[in-house]
Amino acid sequence: MTKWTVYIMTNKPNGVLYIGVTDDIHSRVVEHKVKFYPKSFTAKYNCDKLIYFEEFSEVAEASKRERQFKKWKREWKINLIEEMNPSWTDLSLNWNLDLNKHRTNQ
């Protein structure tokens, strides 16, 4: 069964926010961290810290939630993040991610 994840990445506490959805959160976080897509928004603004996520069993639910987040005021997003992660800690730090597997030759 596929799990869908809506997630928020940032560059620093109270910094730039990026909201995305994926069916493979581990690989997607690695892509952000190694700037796999060097011209992307997250690469440009160094959004490499996972600070929030929600999991869904249906892609339609996840997509709906992602669109909802993107329409929210920044203040609402910050409140949501701080309910789950008040210190804005990178939630992927202890995931044992293989960053070398996804590196590009830039």
Side-chain angles (χ1 to χ4, degrees), residues 34-79:
V34 302
K35 297 173 181 52
F36 190 75
Y37 301 101
K39 295 184 180 180
S40 69
F41 178 90
T42 56
K44 180 178 179 181
Y45 292 99
N46 199 33
C47 295
D48 62 355
K49 294 160 190 60
L50 176 67
I51 53 168
Y52 182 87
F53 66 91
E54 293 180 13
E55 293 180 332
F56 298 87
S57 57
E58 300 293 327
V59 67
E61 292 175 84
S63 295
K64 181 179 177 182
R65 186 66 164 161
E66 178 195 29
R67 287 190 306 275
Q68 181 185 41
F69 281 171
K70 287 182 175 183
K71 291 179 183 177
W72 281 11
K73 294 178 181 179
R74 180 177 173 83
E75 178 184 348
W76 298 353
K77 295 172 197 174
I78 289 172
N79 288 339

Side-chain angles (χ1 to χ4, degrees), residues 5 7-10 24-34 47-53 84-85 88-99:
T5 307
Y7 63 97
I8 302 176
M9 304 288 294
T10 192
D24 185 352
I25 188 66
H26 288 87
S27 291
R28 191 69 181 112
V29 167
V30 169
E31 289 174 351
H32 289 302
K33 287 184 177 295
V34 302
C47 295
D48 62 355
K49 294 160 190 60
L50 176 67
I51 53 168
Y52 182 87
F53 66 91
M84 176 185 177
N85 187 2
W88 291 60
T89 302
D90 183 347
L91 301 173
S92 69
L93 284 178
N94 65 350
W95 284 9
N96 195 27
L97 301 171
D98 183 1
L99 301 181

